[in-house]
Amino acid sequence: MILTSHQPNFLPYMGFFYKIYRSEIFVLSDDVYFSKKGMHNWNIIKVKNGSQKITIPVNAHHDTRLCDVMISEPKSTLPKIVRTLEETYAKTKYFNEGQEITNIINDISINDKVPLVFLNIAIIKYILKRMGIDRTIVIATKDLHITGNKDDRIINMCKEMKADIYYSGVGAKEYHENKKYQENNIRLIYSDYKPGVYHQKYGFFIYNMSIIDYIFNNGYKLPEDWL
């Protein structure tokens, strides 16, 4: 059984969804701490002259768990995100498909209090469904009882879900201790994801944009090199 995990980030990039595509179980790690460097409440989109960061304002500190992070004034801040996305991608071929995501954000914005992970998980699940990626999705705070940090946490996660393979992002190589996985009969595999060019709008392409850039330009069909 192949398991992968990641924090429920805001409109993650394609490599995030590729890890899920290559796995059987996906754990949304909403029990870890919020980080300004982590892309929990922000991402990058492509604009006419380059790239632009879009950020959801939140009420959080470095010791706040992701599951406890609240969106700041969702009734006013989320519609601004929607306007930015729809104005930026107004002329794209698959605008209606991208608008399905902005509609989710708009629907959630009517609430006075919105946890960040509630929005992020709703978007992630919707994209997976529309892309036809049917996997077991586990939310750490609701479905698991994980202890430990870094490798110990992942190993305990695999044991609890009875997974014998952990599918990791390449960026985690610097902290993984292979010996720990071997001792616990868990095989550690690193993602072979390679970002592909899917449009040449404005005459140039920027890699690793938010998945919303892909959806507005290509819809929900999976990249051919994934299949």
Side-chain angles (χ1 to χ4, degrees):
M1 187 75 72
I2 305 172
L3 179 148
T4 193
S5 67
H6 208 285
Q7 298 88 5
N9 288 348
F10 177 58
L11 291 171
Y13 86 127
M14 289 291 286
F16 175 100
F17 291 91
Y18 180 75
K19 283 204 312 176
I20 304 171
Y21 176 75
R22 292 294 304 272
S23 303
E24 296 166 279
I25 303 171
F26 174 49
V27 177
L28 284 158
S29 296
D30 64 335
D31 56 336
V32 301
Y33 292 118
F34 174 82
S35 167
K36 289 184 179 180
K37 292 182 180 180
M39 302 174 80
H40 311 313
N41 66 319
W42 63 272
N43 220 299
I44 304 294
I45 60 172
K46 187 171 179 291
V47 293
K48 187 173 182 178
N49 297 315
S51 62
Q52 176 180 322
K53 184 178 180 180
I54 52 171
T55 303
I56 297 177
V58 295
N59 300 315
H61 301 285
H62 69 279
D63 59 349
T64 305
R65 293 197 307 169
L66 281 179
C67 58
D68 298 321
V69 174
M70 303 298 293
I71 296 174
S72 178
E73 301 180 5
K75 287 186 175 181
S76 61
T77 57
L78 292 182
K80 289 180 181 177
I81 295 287
V82 168
R83 284 196 296 274
T84 297
L85 291 172
E86 293 186 346
E87 288 172 5
T88 300
Y89 294 101
K91 296 181 179 180
T92 52
K93 183 177 180 181
Y94 291 89
F95 178 79
N96 290 339
E97 281 81 351
Q99 201 172 37
E100 293 173 23
I101 304 301
T102 59
N103 287 340
I104 292 174
I105 300 173
N106 260 332
D107 290 344
I108 289 175
S109 72
I110 65 172
N111 299 286
D112 292 316
K113 296 182 178 180
V114 180
L116 177 65
V117 296
F118 179 81
L119 171 67
N120 291 352
I121 291 174
I123 292 172
I124 290 167
K125 284 185 173 181
Y126 185 84
I127 293 172
L128 288 172
K129 181 178 179 180
R130 287 288 275 116
M131 284 186 156
I133 303 175
D134 184 14
R135 304 292 183 268
T136 298
I137 300 176
V138 176
I139 300 175
T141 55
K142 295 181 179 180
D143 305 316
L144 300 177
H145 303 87
I146 312 170
T147 58
N149 296 308
K150 294 187 177 181
D151 285 323
D152 292 333
R153 180 180 181 279
I154 293 171
I155 289 168
N156 289 334
M157 183 190 301
C158 289
K159 287 182 176 180
E160 189 164 343
M161 294 304 302
K162 295 180 172 54
D164 56 357
I165 298 174
Y166 183 72
Y167 195 82
S168 174
V170 177
K173 274 187 177 181
E174 57 188 56
Y175 77 76
H176 281 322
E177 296 181 44
N178 291 343
K179 186 177 179 181
K180 283 189 175 184
Y181 291 86
Q182 293 170 358
E183 291 173 346
N184 286 276
N185 297 315
I186 296 171
R187 185 181 173 194
L188 186 59
I189 296 178
Y190 291 99
S191 175
D192 59 350
Y193 172 73
K194 294 180 181 178
V197 176
Y198 49 82
H199 72 84
Q200 286 289 348
K201 192 176 181 183
Y202 307 128
F204 65 95
F205 183 81
I206 302 175
Y207 291 95
N208 294 328
M209 295 283 97
S210 162
I211 192 170
I212 198 69
D213 186 80
Y214 177 88
I215 292 171
F216 273 118
N217 285 285
N218 271 341
Y220 293 95
K221 60 178 177 286
L222 293 175
E224 292 183 2
D225 59 350
W226 287 24
L227 305 174

